[in-house]
Amino acid sequence: MNTFLKRVLFILSFIALGLFLYSYFVENIFASRLSPKDTVEFKLNDLKLEVFYNRPSKKDREVFGALVPFNQVWRTGANEATTFETNQTLDVNGMPLPKGKYTLWTVPKDSVWTVIFNSKQYPWGVTNEMKPYWDPNYDVLNVDIPVEKLDTTVEQFTIAFDNSTDNLFLTLAWDDVKVSVPLK
């Protein structure tokens, strides 16, 4: 076997070993995730918005008030902390949010949610004790948004941008609940 083929086989073996070790110790890249990752983007003229989050499913569970307790900070999704990024200063429900990257936290309640934009980036959504990594000292903006009850069930937690009425909203929907954060 010539030297070139030996080097190629060595490099391929090294890559395969690296993928195996990463999959075993960090994240199984070959298995589907229970709460898959998703990224939503909104672009209009020079404005660019992006949200990265993980999408848990309802799976016949009671969600708000049970799986996601009322009056407690929620990581707004599953797994990693949800992030919100804007390249321009925004008006969020009448308050300014400077351009930057934020973690997005919520406090679900029966009739209103508190939506929190936090400037700290966290290694994960919750600690080993299943408490949110959220540190209120880094809160940049908190807004209360009324809950909209839906007629249909949203099986998988969904974050989206809605510009259908020429007004921009960041929407969060799951189970029979939707909140729409106004953005300008």
Side-chain angles (χ1 to χ4, degrees):
M1 190 179 278
N2 68 26
T3 306
F4 175 74
L5 286 177
K6 287 181 183 178
R7 287 182 184 163
V8 168
L9 284 175
F10 177 76
I11 291 171
L12 291 175
S13 298
F14 185 75
I15 291 171
L17 178 63
L19 286 172
F20 171 77
L21 292 174
Y22 180 83
S23 178
Y24 185 79
F25 289 110
V26 179
E27 175 183 8
N28 187 350
I29 58 177
F30 303 109
S32 62
R33 293 173 65 127
L34 294 175
S35 299
K37 298 177 182 182
D38 200 359
T39 300
V40 292
E41 296 178 339
F42 178 80
K43 295 177 184 177
L44 180 65
N45 301 324
D46 293 333
L47 177 63
K48 294 178 187 165
L49 305 174
E50 181 178 289
V51 175
F52 166 81
Y53 72 113
N54 289 269
R55 304 184 64 197
S57 294
K58 178 174 168 57
K59 296 181 184 173
D60 295 321
R61 301 177 289 185
E62 186 178 341
V63 176
F64 296 108
L67 178 64
V68 177
F70 284 136
N71 302 310
Q72 293 182 23
V73 173
W74 176 44
R75 64 181 145 180
T76 315
N79 305 332
E80 297 94 338
T82 296
T83 60
F84 176 92
E85 191 168 2
T86 175
N87 70 334
Q88 294 181 12
T89 297
L90 295 174
D91 178 301
V92 180
N93 204 30
M95 294 186 283
L97 179 68
K99 69 178 181 177
K101 186 174 184 178
Y102 302 93
T103 48
L104 189 66
W105 305 86
T106 49
V107 180
K109 300 172 197 150
D110 188 42
S111 61
V112 68
W113 281 22
T114 301
V115 178
I116 304 166
F117 294 86
N118 187 281
S119 63
K120 187 171 181 183
Q121 301 301 305
Y122 300 88
W124 198 248
V126 293
T127 65
N128 291 336
E129 295 82 33
M130 297 305 290
K131 301 291 181 193
Y133 263 113
W134 166 74
D135 182 346
N137 294 315
Y138 294 93
D139 286 357
V140 174
L141 181 65
N142 295 3
V143 293
D144 288 335
I145 305 297
V147 168
E148 178 185 338
K149 291 292 184 177
L150 302 173
D151 294 331
T152 59
T153 299
V154 177
E155 174 62 28
Q156 196 169 33
F157 178 61
T158 303
I159 297 178
F161 291 104
D162 179 0
N163 192 33
S164 61
T165 60
D166 289 332
N167 294 310
L168 178 60
F169 294 92
L170 172 68
T171 63
L172 302 103
W174 195 19
D175 195 7
D176 63 346
V177 171
K178 178 180 173 183
V179 292
S180 298
V181 182
L183 306 173
K184 290 184 184 176

